[in-house]
Amino acid sequence: MNSLRPGAPLPRSPRWPARIASRLPSVSQTVKTLAFAALVAAGAWTAYRYAQRAETETIIERAARRLDVDESTLRGELTRYDYLPALLSLNPDIADLLRHPTDAALSARVNRYLADVTTDSQAAAIYVLDLRGTTLAASNWDQPISFVGQNFSYRPYFIDALHNGTGHFYGLGSTSRLPGYFYAARIGAGGRELGVVATKISLDSMEALWTRGDETVLVADANGVVFLSSFPGWKYRTLHPLSAAARARIDAKRQYGGPGALADIGLVPRRRLAANAEIDTVSPPNPLLANTPNPHAMDFVVVSRTVAGTDWRIMSLTDIAPARKNARYAALVTALGLSLATIGTLYVLQRRKVIAQRLAMRETLERMNDELERKVTRRTGALARANKSLRNEIAQHKRTEATLKATLEELVQAGKMALIGQMSAGITHELNQPLAALRTLSDNALLFLQRGRQDEAENNLRVIAGLIERMGKITAQLRRFSRKGPAELEPVAVERTLVNALFLVEPRLRKEDVEVVRDAGDGSSAHSDLVVLADANRLEQVLVNLFTNALDAMLGCPRRQLSIAVRADAADDAYVEIVVADTGAGIPETVRERLFEPFFTTKPPGAGLGLGLAICAGIMRELGGTLKANAAAAASGASFTLRLRRAPGDGVGELAKTDTNRAQRGAAEGE
Ligand code: ADP
């Protein structure tokens, strides 16, 4: 049991630094992650820069195209009325009015004429000024803001026209306070200048057009004052702070209303993009920013150009924020794309690695399999060879067994012949006696017949027949005993076999005066009907052998008794024991150890071969039984026990069959 004893040290956990280190990414992993992050960041940054540049270029290009259109439209608008002074100078009434400014009728005619031309040309106003700058006639003569009687000698367009022939000016109308473009031309020349014809043109429609676009479009004059703007909040404000002198000049011309209106927009140049384009920042407070959701500083792409024929600059301002947003999207998409591509590449590489590992593993497995197959083939070959040699050995064994069996049979037969040889003296005697008697009896019978003594002759013949029968019985018994053949297990009646065996030794028993005692001990013959599984002929041979040995042992003994006991085995009812005992000299211990050895004999040469008991033991083994020499008590003879299996059901039915078989065999042998 694994328990903690008090005072025992606590089980140690893995050391903390090692555990933390095992959870930290390895150096190579960190390097790879950093490289990956750097790659993604570089890619995103490049994409951002590229997209922003592309977006900016698109803005510049679009703004330039727009400015092309706007500038030419503006120029067209400005030059649209260039023809007017020449047209008006053709009217004699105007020259007359300049010569006779007080002629009211003439003045009224000129006023109407100017109003008609204004209506036709869609100009804002046309008016005629004398050399002192006083308006003599005007298209708006009948309106509250009539120019008639107004003096515009301070206006640059009048001064320029008077001195140079023509004059241009953009500014607020000093009477109407409405902005407009003033174009003036001198009438009369060569020292006979009469006055100046001026046209005021409204550029409101142009402004209205611009306000519909995305960009902020504005036109600034040489001082940087914005006088046209798609964003109204910037009108009459300056791109850069005005110098005091410039402001004084503007005020003198009353160009843009009273002092203080020309506040700075706060447009700060940040970066030049091209000759006519730059990025400017507008910082709060600014009316433009006040209208945007982002009241912080805004960057604009500013594209500008000079309006041909003037000192004005037309400018387009485009918020750069959407472009930056798009660039950010591009950067994001690039980063995502790069991440996906990197992850995809890593996945593919990992997958390849796994596949390569699998292939390597499969190759290893195949190699191992091949090796295994080779081993199995080798082993199978060895096994097949071993099997073959085993079969050969078995065949050899079978042959040996058959040879042994044949040899045993030969030996048994030889033993039998030896027994017959041993018994031959007695048997010969047994046959010779009746033969001699037969001779006498037959001679006497002949005599009796010759003498007519019929009855005595018949009596002799009957005795002769009895003798012949007895002789036949002996020879039949001998022939049956000597029969050669393999052992066949069958139910054998012990009693009958004993009787047959005793019959064969009968002459010796009688001659040597041996007493045969059956069932010694209780003296009964209760077991004489026992039937065993055996071969009758073989069992008979064993018994004859034992009887002969007993008779040999008792030769010269004063007491000669052959005891035969048949009984069921006390320990195992399935076996039957036949005990053959004699009153001979008995078997010394040294002899007993070697009793069953072949060629062991204590008998004088020629008396025994020493094979009898060895053959008997072999026969008993063949019959599935045993033969053993019993340890005899001192001063008593020898005793042998035969043990055989009992026939099933004591084989009564089988025994009948066996008898029939034997009878048939006897008949076949001419018994
Ligand atoms: P053999 O009879 O030719 O000698 P056996 O194998 O039959 O051959 O007997 C071997 C020996 O066993 C005999 O020589 C004898 O010494 C001894 N023997 C056999 N039976 C008896 C017996 N009944 N009493 C004493 N000795 C015996």
Side-chain angles (χ1 to χ4, degrees):
M1 231 179 84
N2 196 7
S3 64
L4 277 177
R5 278 174 288 105
L10 286 169
R12 285 166 69 111
S13 63
R15 290 201 306 176
W16 281 103
R19 285 173 63 181
I20 291 166
S22 70
R23 287 180 192 178
L24 288 175
S26 66
V27 175
S28 72
Q29 265 179 331
T30 313
V31 169
K32 277 183 199 162
T33 310
L34 286 176
F36 169 66
L39 174 76
V40 171
W45 174 246
T46 310
Y48 179 79
R49 292 299 302 270
Y50 180 80
Q52 200 190 19
R53 184 176 301 167
E55 288 275 332
T56 314
E57 277 170 10
T58 308
I59 290 172
I60 293 171
E61 205 179 310
R62 204 173 55 211
R65 273 204 306 273
R66 168 92 195 260
L67 286 187
D68 278 349
V69 175
D70 289 346
E71 194 245 350
S72 67
T73 312
L74 182 61
R75 236 172 342 102
E77 199 66 22
L78 296 181
T79 54
R80 197 146 70 98
Y81 302 96
D82 281 1
Y83 70 96
L84 276 177
L87 177 76
L88 295 173
S89 64
L90 292 175
N91 189 326
D93 285 347
I94 292 174
D96 284 352
L97 181 65
L98 286 170
R99 284 190 203 101
H100 310 284
T102 53
D103 186 339
L106 193 62
S107 168
R109 229 178 20 249
V110 171
N111 277 340
R112 276 196 300 278
Y113 171 70
L114 290 177
D116 288 346
V117 173
T118 301
T119 307
D120 291 345
S121 64
Q122 295 179 334
I126 302 174
Y127 48 104
V128 178
L129 306 149
D130 64 13
L131 290 173
R132 285 186 299 277
T134 304
T135 308
L136 300 180
S139 57
N140 56 7
W141 57 277
D142 54 350
Q143 290 169 28
I145 48 151
S146 169
F147 292 172
V148 178
Q150 300 275 342
N151 186 284
F152 296 119
S153 59
Y154 59 92
R155 291 292 218 182
Y157 62 86
F158 173 76
I159 298 165
D160 287 348
L162 205 61
H163 293 113
N164 305 326
T166 57
H168 307 269
F169 178 72
Y170 186 90
L172 295 176
S174 55
T175 312
S176 65
R177 307 306 298 164
L178 293 172
Y181 175 66
F182 298 86
Y183 174 65
R186 192 176 58 201
I187 293 176
R192 292 181 33 211
E193 291 86 1
L194 294 171
V196 169
V197 176
T199 310
K200 183 181 178 183
I201 304 154
S202 169
L203 297 176
D204 289 353
S205 57
M206 281 210 66
E207 262 186 337
L209 268 179
W210 293 350
T211 49
R212 282 181 220 134
D214 294 336
E215 309 97 331
T216 303
V217 179
L218 54 85
V219 182
D221 65 12
N223 290 316
V225 179
V226 176
F227 59 90
L228 288 175
S229 172
S230 58
F231 176 62
W234 277 7
K235 219 160 164 182
Y236 309 125
R237 293 168 73 96
T238 59
L239 297 175
H240 316 292
L242 272 182
S243 66
R247 183 176 285 274
R249 273 200 308 276
I250 291 167
D251 286 346
K253 289 185 276 185
R254 302 190 202 168
Q255 193 172 1
Y256 302 117
L262 301 172
D264 178 24
I265 291 173
L267 208 59
V268 181
R270 288 277 174 231
R271 191 149 58 88
R272 179 149 291 282
L273 300 172
N276 61 342
E278 61 185 26
I279 293 177
D280 288 9
T281 303
V282 178
S283 305
N286 192 292
L288 177 65
L289 302 180
N291 288 342
T292 62
N294 176 14
H296 303 293
M298 277 177 81
D299 286 346
F300 291 95
V301 175
V302 182
V303 181
S304 65
R305 66 180 54 201
T306 309
V307 180
T310 68
D311 53 3
W312 301 347
R313 282 193 80 75
I314 183 163
M315 300 166 79
S316 154
L317 280 79
T318 310
D319 183 4
I320 206 169
R324 284 183 177 157
K325 199 172 170 188
N326 287 346
R328 279 201 297 278
Y329 280 138
L332 195 68
V333 168
T334 307
L336 279 174
L338 275 175
S339 301
L340 282 177
T342 312
I343 289 167
T345 310
L346 285 177
Y347 175 75
V348 168
L349 288 176
Q350 185 66 21
R351 189 98 195 100
R352 274 194 192 166
K353 204 169 154 188
V354 169
I355 289 169
Q357 276 173 350
R358 277 193 197 152
L359 280 176
M361 194 175 280
R362 191 185 293 171
E363 267 176 29
T364 312
L365 280 175
E366 277 171 4
R367 262 206 313 280
M368 283 166 73
N369 200 27
D370 289 350
E371 182 65 23
L372 208 66
E373 271 177 14
R374 274 199 296 279
K375 273 187 185 167
V376 167
T377 311
R378 276 205 299 274
R379 199 96 187 104
T380 311
L383 277 174
R385 282 195 295 280
N387 200 19
K388 198 177 166 189
S389 83
L390 216 60
R391 273 205 298 275
N392 287 343
E393 262 177 49
I394 289 169
Q396 183 67 32
H397 277 305
K398 277 185 180 163
R399 278 198 298 276
T400 312
E401 197 183 306
T403 312
L404 270 177
K405 208 169 170 185
T407 312
L408 186 69
E409 264 177 38
E410 292 296 325
L411 206 61
V412 168
Q413 194 59 24
K416 208 184 281 179
M417 288 305 134
L419 277 176
I420 290 171
Q422 280 179 11
M423 292 185 297
S424 61
I427 292 164
T428 311
H429 178 75
E430 212 48 22
L431 288 175
N432 278 342
Q433 258 188 339
L435 264 180
L438 275 177
R439 178 85 205 162
T440 314
L441 283 167
S442 60
D443 287 350
N444 289 344
L446 204 61
L447 282 174
F448 284 139
L449 283 175
Q450 284 170 356
R451 289 172 197 166
R453 288 159 66 177
Q454 190 74 24
D455 291 345
E456 278 113 329
E458 274 181 21
N459 200 33
N460 264 21
L461 283 174
R462 263 195 292 277
V463 176
I464 286 172
L467 285 174
I468 290 171
E469 192 181 341
R470 182 175 155 72
M471 287 171 72
K473 205 172 169 188
I474 292 169
T475 52
Q477 195 78 0
L478 266 177
R479 198 165 55 231
R480 195 177 46 72
F481 183 72
S482 63
R483 202 185 69 232
K484 190 182 175 185
E488 281 173 23
L489 279 184
E490 54 194 4
V492 172
V494 176
E495 182 57 29
R496 186 177 301 166
T497 315
L498 277 171
V499 168
N500 286 340
L502 283 170
F503 180 79
L504 286 173
V505 293
E506 171 70 26
R508 271 195 77 183
L509 288 172
R510 232 182 310 116
K511 188 184 165 204
E512 291 162 21
D513 191 22
V514 177
E515 184 196 0
V516 176
V517 180
R518 298 293 309 278
D519 295 330
D522 60 1
S524 73
S525 58
H527 301 296
S528 57
D529 57 346
L530 286 170
V531 180
V532 293
L533 265 184
D535 178 290
N537 191 254
R538 290 275 202 272
L539 182 57
E540 207 172 298
Q541 185 178 345
V542 172
L543 289 170
V544 169
N545 207 122
L546 291 178
F547 294 163
T548 312
N549 276 352
L551 292 177
D552 287 348
M554 288 189 292
L555 277 176
C557 287
R559 186 169 162 248
R560 294 178 295 279
Q561 195 180 65
L562 178 66
S563 308
I564 303 162
V566 179
R567 61 183 178 228
D569 188 344
D572 187 349
D573 199 33
Y575 284 87
V576 170
E577 284 181 344
I578 305 168
V579 182
V580 178
D582 61 57
T583 53
I587 306 169
E589 199 55 42
T590 47
V591 173
R592 213 144 86 103
E593 286 165 5
R594 305 184 58 194
L595 269 185
F596 297 99
E597 274 180 26
F599 305 109
F600 172 77
T601 178
T602 59
K603 292 173 187 172
L609 280 172
L611 281 173
L613 286 179
I615 291 170
C616 286
I619 288 173
M620 288 310 287
R621 266 198 303 278
E622 197 183 14
L623 298 181
T626 54
L627 167 64
K628 72 175 203 299
N630 302 319
S636 76
S639 159
F640 289 85
T641 300
L642 293 169
R643 197 161 174 271
L644 280 166
R645 182 174 278 279
R646 220 166 160 161
D650 260 3
V652 182
E654 292 297 319
L655 192 60
K657 256 195 276 170
T658 314
D659 287 347
T660 317
N661 290 348
R662 193 167 300 137
Q664 283 169 351
R665 255 195 324 259
E669 286 162 8
E671 200 172 335

